[in-house]
Amino acid sequence: MPFSLGRVCAVDPFYEYAAKNRHFSGRSGMLQNGIMGDGMRKKIYLQMVSIAVAAIFITMLLVAGGCYELFCQQILTDLRTDAYLLKETGGLESILESRYIASGSHLRITWIDAGGEVLFENNADAGGMNNHSSRPEIVQAFSEGEGQAVRKSPTLQKNSFYFAVRLQDGSVIRVAKDADSIWGVFAGTVPAVLMAVAVLVLICMAIARLLTKSLIEPIEKMAGNMDDMDGMDIYEELIPFVSTIQKQHGDILQSAGMRQEFTANVSHELKTPLAVISGYSELIENGMAEEEDIPRFAREIHKSSSRLLTLIDDVIRLSELDALEQDEEFGMVDLCKIAETCVDMLQIHAESHEVGLLFSGTPCPVYSEKRMLEELVYNLCDNAIRYNKKGGSVMVSAKPIGEKAVLCVEDTGIGIGKEHQERVFERFYRVDKSRSKLTGGTGLGLAIVKHIVARNHAEIVLESEPGRGTKIRVSFPLCNETFV
């Protein structure tokens, strides 16, 4: 498949937009259209109205229940008063037979002897009534002097209230009264209650709308002025959220700038070898090259094409390492063995640069991926060889130190100045650009090393001094397992 610069280095449309528009207001739009849109406003409004309506109905039920309880207590209090008035009045028989205790009265009066037989009932024939000795209020009156009870009639939707008091002769006088159930008591007030509820709901809706607006307004102002919130009233709970959004916005802009710069650098780096290949091949194609020049042109074409392939491979690998998903299969590998194999493979390369390449180490298991470790060791050793002096040396070691597996690559090369040491891991950053091109470096080796170190949760330390060489140490967490 032919290499496509657009495929490897294309900037994501979101990042490209962010890079072109440094005043990028995407986060404000996101807050306004997503978080602060009609959906959230409507949700808050409906929740407030729902809570208010629920509160109204719960309050009404509690009030109705409380009022009915007071109503029942009042009836029992009145019955008690009536019962004691009858008890304290002399000549009970004459009073009960008088016209004041008429049949059909709302107040029922029953006189029961000590055996439970009914002596008098103003609303029924006493002779045909059953023995009342088992009635709760009668039993309580016989034992305690007075008793009361409430019996419900599920068919008539009424409640019967009874109060009984024991007389001096051991008989009991009981007064009773029927009253509507709670539903019957409040049935007549339903229209007025519904009207009151409707008015209250309308008032709550209006208040909820005002409260929703007052709640959302500061957030909308904040969303529209994320870059300048000095003096703005911000909810304390939103401060961590705002800080995260601002940080992400800054990261997006920084990443967009880095990607745009990376694309420009790749394009620039590709132009030089492509121009060489195109120029020399055109001379050969048009017959403008002398026969003795053709081998030299071919060498230059081969050299530039090799550089081009290396650059493409590095760019593709960086793109893979930049991916959010990690596809590598991690497992236990021997860092020492990988380093030793890499050193053996680079011996010819080191000899061509007249550099001695040595290795020492002991087995040190790490949890990683073999390919990534090979790339890391190769890039560090390759850099140490390329930027070395003739007759110089590179010492590679891998061994466990404490709880770490430490890879160390130390050379006697040209070294790196203090002002460059923090930037050498950036993409396409070169301390000596002219020397980099002469040695064939792409400027991406240490950037790949940095990504691999991050993927492995390792640590990298660089020590260097111009003219005296460079020492790079990479420390991996040491596995507590042994090789079989």
Side-chain angles (χ1 to χ4, degrees):
M1 179 178 178
F3 171 73
S4 169
L5 177 61
R7 178 177 64 85
V8 176
C9 304
V11 179
D12 183 89
F14 178 75
Y15 288 101
E16 186 174 9
Y17 176 81
K20 291 180 180 178
N21 301 272
R22 292 296 177 175
H23 58 285
F24 179 59
S25 60
R27 59 185 177 177
S28 300
M30 178 181 66
L31 287 171
Q32 290 173 334
N33 297 330
I35 301 175
M36 292 299 109
D38 291 338
M40 183 175 182
R41 189 190 301 273
K42 184 177 180 181
K43 186 176 181 180
I44 294 175
Y45 172 72
L46 290 177
Q47 285 180 345
M48 285 187 173
V49 172
S50 300
I51 292 171
V53 171
I56 290 171
F57 278 102
I58 292 172
T59 302
M60 289 183 63
L61 290 175
L62 292 175
V63 169
C67 289
Y68 187 73
E69 184 64 26
L70 291 174
F71 170 72
C72 293
Q73 292 297 327
Q74 185 61 48
I75 291 177
L76 289 172
T77 300
D78 292 344
L79 290 177
R80 186 176 188 276
T81 301
D82 292 336
Y84 274 96
L85 282 173
L86 289 171
K87 176 183 178 181
E88 300 299 330
T89 303
L92 182 60
E93 292 185 15
S94 60
I95 293 175
L96 292 177
E97 293 175 358
S98 69
R99 61 186 178 86
Y100 296 107
I101 310 298
S103 177
S105 172
H106 288 295
L107 185 68
R108 290 170 52 197
I109 300 175
T110 308
W111 188 14
I112 301 142
D113 66 14
E117 296 297 330
V118 178
L119 300 175
F120 176 82
E121 167 67 47
N122 68 328
N123 281 344
D125 181 14
M129 299 182 70
N130 296 328
N131 190 286
H132 279 38
S133 61
S134 61
R135 302 292 174 91
E137 67 278 7
I138 304 300
V139 172
Q140 187 179 9
F142 281 145
S143 61
E144 299 178 12
E146 63 179 43
Q148 64 183 36
V150 179
R151 287 192 277 279
K152 298 180 181 179
S153 172
T155 55
L156 299 177
Q157 293 296 314
K158 286 182 176 292
N159 294 331
S160 297
F161 296 82
Y162 298 92
F163 191 91
V165 61
R166 188 179 63 205
L167 304 181
Q168 294 292 335
D169 59 1
S171 64
V172 171
I173 189 74
R174 185 188 72 178
V175 292
K177 186 175 184 180
D178 292 335
D180 290 333
S181 66
I182 185 171
W183 308 115
V185 170
F186 292 102
T189 63
V190 169
V193 169
L194 291 178
M195 182 65 69
V197 169
V199 173
L200 287 173
V201 169
L202 290 175
I203 294 173
C204 288
M205 290 174 66
I207 294 174
R209 188 177 297 278
L210 292 174
L211 287 176
T212 302
K213 183 179 179 181
S214 65
L215 283 172
I216 297 298
E217 189 174 6
I219 303 177
E220 289 180 336
K221 288 181 179 179
M222 178 191 71
N225 299 276
M226 291 289 286
D227 294 323
D228 184 19
M229 293 189 293
D230 294 338
M232 191 179 296
D233 187 17
I234 303 175
Y235 295 128
E236 184 178 351
E237 294 80 3
L238 288 179
I239 292 177
F241 174 73
V242 173
S243 300
T244 301
I245 292 293
Q246 288 180 325
K247 184 177 182 298
Q248 288 179 347
H249 179 55
D251 292 341
I252 287 171
L253 291 180
Q254 182 181 6
S255 181
M258 290 175 62
R259 285 171 179 257
Q260 190 176 41
E261 183 181 358
F262 179 62
T263 303
N265 287 333
V266 170
S267 301
H268 176 74
E269 292 292 332
L270 289 174
K271 283 180 181 178
T272 302
L274 286 173
V276 171
I277 294 171
S278 177
Y280 283 125
S281 60
E282 185 179 0
L283 290 175
I284 295 173
E285 181 186 20
N286 294 331
M288 298 175 64
E290 300 292 337
E291 187 173 349
E292 62 272 16
D293 290 331
I294 291 178
R296 181 170 62 86
F297 289 175
R299 282 195 302 273
E300 292 297 329
I301 291 174
H302 180 264
K303 180 180 177 181
S304 295
S305 61
S306 297
R307 174 177 168 76
L308 188 61
L309 288 172
T310 302
L311 180 61
I312 290 171
D313 287 341
D314 286 349
V315 169
I316 291 174
R317 185 55 180 152
L318 270 176
S319 298
E320 291 174 352
L321 292 170
D322 275 338
L324 294 179
E325 295 183 2
Q326 184 170 322
D327 298 327
E328 293 86 354
E329 294 183 1
F330 276 48
M332 191 175 67
V333 292
D334 188 356
L335 178 62
C336 177
K337 186 176 181 180
I338 289 175
E340 185 178 12
T341 302
C342 185
V343 168
D344 291 340
M345 183 180 64
L346 287 171
Q347 285 295 343
I348 296 176
H349 180 52
E351 289 173 6
S352 67
H353 285 76
E354 300 181 23
V355 173
L357 183 58
L358 304 173
F359 173 77
S360 67
T362 55
C364 42
V366 296
Y367 186 75
S368 183
E369 197 267 337
K370 184 179 179 182
R371 180 190 173 191
M372 286 201 296
L373 290 186
E374 288 174 344
E375 287 178 308
L376 182 140
V377 176
Y378 177 87
N379 282 307
L380 289 178
C381 292
D382 183 57
N383 264 28
I385 293 169
R386 289 180 186 276
Y387 299 100
N388 216 313
K389 303 172 183 176
K390 286 187 178 182
S393 64
V394 176
M395 183 63 198
V396 181
S397 65
K399 55 186 176 181
I401 300 177
E403 296 296 322
K404 301 287 185 179
V406 180
L407 170 71
C408 182
V409 179
E410 186 173 3
D411 64 64
T412 59
I414 60 175
I416 304 169
K418 291 286 185 183
E419 69 276 13
H420 300 292
Q421 290 181 13
E422 291 185 1
R423 301 194 60 191
V424 291
F425 294 98
E426 295 178 9
R427 301 172 183 186
F428 295 111
Y429 186 82
R430 295 182 176 92
V431 177
D432 188 343
K433 295 184 179 180
S434 60
R435 183 180 177 90
S436 296
K437 291 184 178 181
L438 287 174
T439 58
T442 62
L444 294 175
L446 290 181
I448 293 175
V449 167
K450 179 183 177 182
H451 276 68
I452 294 174
V453 167
R455 278 284 180 92
N456 285 271
H457 305 289
E459 298 175 355
I460 187 167
V461 178
L462 182 147
E463 299 174 5
S464 185
E465 188 176 339
R468 301 189 64 177
T470 301
K471 181 178 182 180
I472 296 179
R473 291 195 310 274
V474 183
S475 303
F476 297 85
L478 187 66
C479 282
N480 295 321
E481 301 180 35
T482 57
F483 295 100
V484 180

